Amino acid sequence: MTLDEITKQFATAGSIGKIQPHGGGHINDSYHLVNNQENESDYLLQKINHYVFKDVDLLMNNISMVTYHITDHLKKDNQKDLNRRSLTIVPTTDGALYFKDPDGNYWRIFNFIKDHVVFEATSDPELAYEGARMFGSFTNMLSGINPSDLGDTIPKFHSIKWRFSNLKESIAEDAVDRVKLVRDEIRYVETSIGLMSKIQELGEKGSIPLRVTHNDTKINNVLFDRDHKGLCVIDLDTVMPGYVHYDFGDGIRTFTNTGEEDDEDLNNISMDLDLYRAFASGFLESTREILNKTEIETLVYAGLLFPYIMGVRFLTDYIAGDVYYKTKHKEHNLVRAKAQLKLAMDGESKLEKTQEIIKGLV
Ligand code: GN1
Ligand code: MG
């Protein structure tokens, strides 16, 4: 089916004209549907990556519950401009949350958030504060949902023990003969696994509660308006039960990195402490009231865990022959892995300083 035919399966208003590829996610394919009718809004069409998200029905039910809850919350809060402040699923003409085409591909449509800006990185503490405040407020708004009402869209997604055992398996298999190229990276991962398992162990002991978390709080998953005020948190595929550390951690990973996620020059990579303070301050601003003492005291470990877990995942995919992430070139996963592990190491060396920053904020 053509994109045009797929679009026609949905209950969009107005008349759809141009269909343009949109955004740079590593997982789904997205298209901007431009509305020819001026008073009607544009849309976002997405092909859901079914290799990554095995249970699309569960996934879309999660998103439906979450977007409904957020819109409701914003309405009660008398917020204006709701169509730019939350995602809304556009159902199919049959009223379903998604469409499965004859080739077995899954599609969905959301409202398009107009006049937004998005950042891949920032050196501006105010922007980091604002983005963090948005992610924190996302989790805060969802604290009214019982986490067990949501399913796991990717089981064990942020289980570092599981990710570590996947890495071990890929090493044992060495499918494309790359293990010999990554001995140093493997050594670092093995040395730090104890420290990095801390949060999972707190969860297993019941010292930190499950919440509804976003689980992909990268800087480019928050949309800003032209004045750089937060508009909307996007990419809800991994919204599921998790620990608050997951959202704090992935934010620290992407907002405070002075380099790129896939920076080839490791000298560019470090955890910037001013950005750290700004991010932590925005995040705590909107979550302080819901977090318990243990959560706050152990947040700092999340800033290490996330560069580390992403390093482990990119490394695993490199060793396995690039089967999970979209890559731009042959060594892309290796470059990403090195960059993320460098950031984890830098975070380890700044553990005391970052703990001080968090303490100073509470
Ligand atoms: C993937 O598709 P995207 O870019 O939003 C990944 C995240 C990683 C991220 C690394 C479902 O997210 O977990 O943090 O790449 N999503 C999934 O940039 O694996
Ligand atoms: Mg994502």
Side-chain angles (χ1 to χ4, degrees):
M1 280 176 105
T2 63
L3 290 173
D4 214 37
E5 287 163 340
I6 287 157
T7 302
K8 291 208 163 63
Q9 307 301 314
F10 291 85
T12 55
S15 102
I16 304 303
K18 259 196 265 159
I19 301 183
Q20 305 163 332
H22 182 81
H26 299 355
I27 305 286
N28 296 318
D29 298 326
S30 303
Y31 304 89
H32 177 181
L33 307 179
V34 180
N35 212 318
N36 281 340
Q37 214 162 298
E38 239 173 65
N39 52 341
E40 296 294 352
S41 50
D42 290 1
Y43 296 97
L44 186 77
L45 169 70
Q46 288 186 311
K47 183 163 111 186
I48 304 169
N49 184 326
H50 182 43
Y51 172 78
V52 169
F53 299 105
K54 311 279 186 218
D55 191 340
V56 174
D57 209 63
L58 175 152
L59 169 86
M60 292 307 291
N61 276 316
N62 274 6
I63 297 183
S64 166
M65 202 184 304
V66 162
T67 50
Y68 186 86
H69 194 88
I70 288 181
T71 307
D72 199 46
H73 196 284
L74 295 175
K75 271 187 199 153
K76 284 183 185 145
D77 204 28
N78 281 322
Q79 296 256 2
K80 302 277 157 342
D81 210 8
L82 287 189
N83 205 36
R84 286 170 79 216
R85 298 207 174 271
S86 78
L87 290 175
T88 310
I89 298 172
V90 177
T92 67
T93 51
D94 297 334
L97 298 176
Y98 60 90
F99 170 68
K100 186 176 179 185
D101 74 18
D103 295 328
N105 298 312
Y106 292 83
W107 300 85
R108 68 176 169 214
I109 290 188
F110 289 112
N111 55 319
F112 187 85
I113 314 274
K114 70 171 196 274
D115 294 330
H116 71 255
V117 281
V118 59
F119 300 91
E120 293 303 319
T122 185
S123 52
D124 173 7
E126 267 179 54
L127 195 74
Y129 172 90
E130 180 65 6
R133 195 188 56 76
M134 289 296 290
F135 280 125
S137 128
F138 181 86
T139 302
N140 191 337
M141 282 193 273
L142 296 177
S143 60
I145 300 183
N146 185 342
S148 61
D149 289 348
L150 298 186
D152 287 325
T153 60
I154 302 180
K156 306 194 214 150
F157 191 51
H158 287 321
S159 160
I160 189 55
K161 295 182 185 179
W162 183 65
R163 296 293 183 186
F164 185 72
S165 77
N166 289 349
L167 173 65
K168 290 276 184 180
E169 273 171 38
S170 74
I171 295 171
E173 212 169 299
D174 199 7
V176 287
D177 203 22
R178 283 176 167 175
V179 170
K180 58 174 190 268
L181 307 171
V182 290
R183 295 275 178 219
D184 291 347
E185 288 73 19
I186 295 172
R187 199 167 310 119
Y188 168 66
V189 169
E190 284 174 339
T191 315
S192 289
I193 184 68
L195 176 64
M196 302 295 178
S197 302
K198 214 177 161 84
I199 292 163
Q200 190 169 347
E201 279 156 12
L202 286 169
E204 286 163 356
K205 279 196 300 203
S207 310
I208 52 175
L210 279 174
R211 301 180 173 281
V212 177
T213 47
H214 181 278
N215 294 304
D216 195 10
T217 50
K218 305 198 281 194
I219 182 167
N220 60 6
N221 276 337
V222 46
L223 304 185
F224 296 85
D225 69 15
R226 291 185 194 284
D227 301 324
H228 296 186
K229 289 286 169 253
L231 271 178
C232 182
V233 166
I234 59 161
D235 190 359
L236 309 182
D237 292 327
T238 51
V239 178
M240 57 183 151
Y243 304 116
V244 71
H245 300 75
Y246 297 168
D247 287 354
F248 183 80
D250 211 27
I252 291 293
R253 175 180 83 87
T254 57
F255 280 83
T256 73
N257 187 359
T258 51
E260 306 285 329
E261 180 177 76
D262 57 353
D263 217 306
E264 310 226 356
D265 183 354
L266 295 183
N267 292 322
N268 290 339
I269 294 192
S270 71
M271 208 171 264
D272 183 278
L273 294 178
D274 290 331
L275 292 169
Y276 195 109
R277 186 174 298 102
F279 183 88
S281 158
F283 195 85
L284 285 167
E285 174 69 37
S286 48
T287 54
R288 202 182 269 114
E289 64 186 31
I290 60 168
L291 301 184
N292 76 26
K293 195 160 164 274
T294 313
E295 286 180 301
I296 294 177
E297 281 171 5
T298 56
L299 268 187
V300 72
Y301 297 103
L304 313 179
L305 173 61
F306 272 72
Y308 178 86
I309 199 168
M310 242 36 93
V312 169
R313 292 176 60 191
F314 288 136
L315 186 61
T316 305
D317 202 31
Y318 178 69
I319 296 173
D322 310 317
V323 292
Y324 185 89
Y325 288 109
K326 294 187 204 168
T327 49
K328 293 198 178 119
H329 54 88
K330 234 177 80 231
E331 304 294 297
H332 202 176
N333 272 320
L334 177 61
V335 172
R336 287 166 170 158
K338 286 188 175 177
Q340 292 300 303
L341 294 175
K342 165 79 199 285
L343 188 62
M345 280 179 225
D346 190 56
E348 279 196 50
S349 75
K350 292 174 178 159
L351 191 56
E352 269 173 41
K353 284 189 187 134
T354 45
Q355 186 64 297
E356 281 309 310
I357 289 176
I358 294 178
K359 270 197 196 142
L361 292 168
V362 289

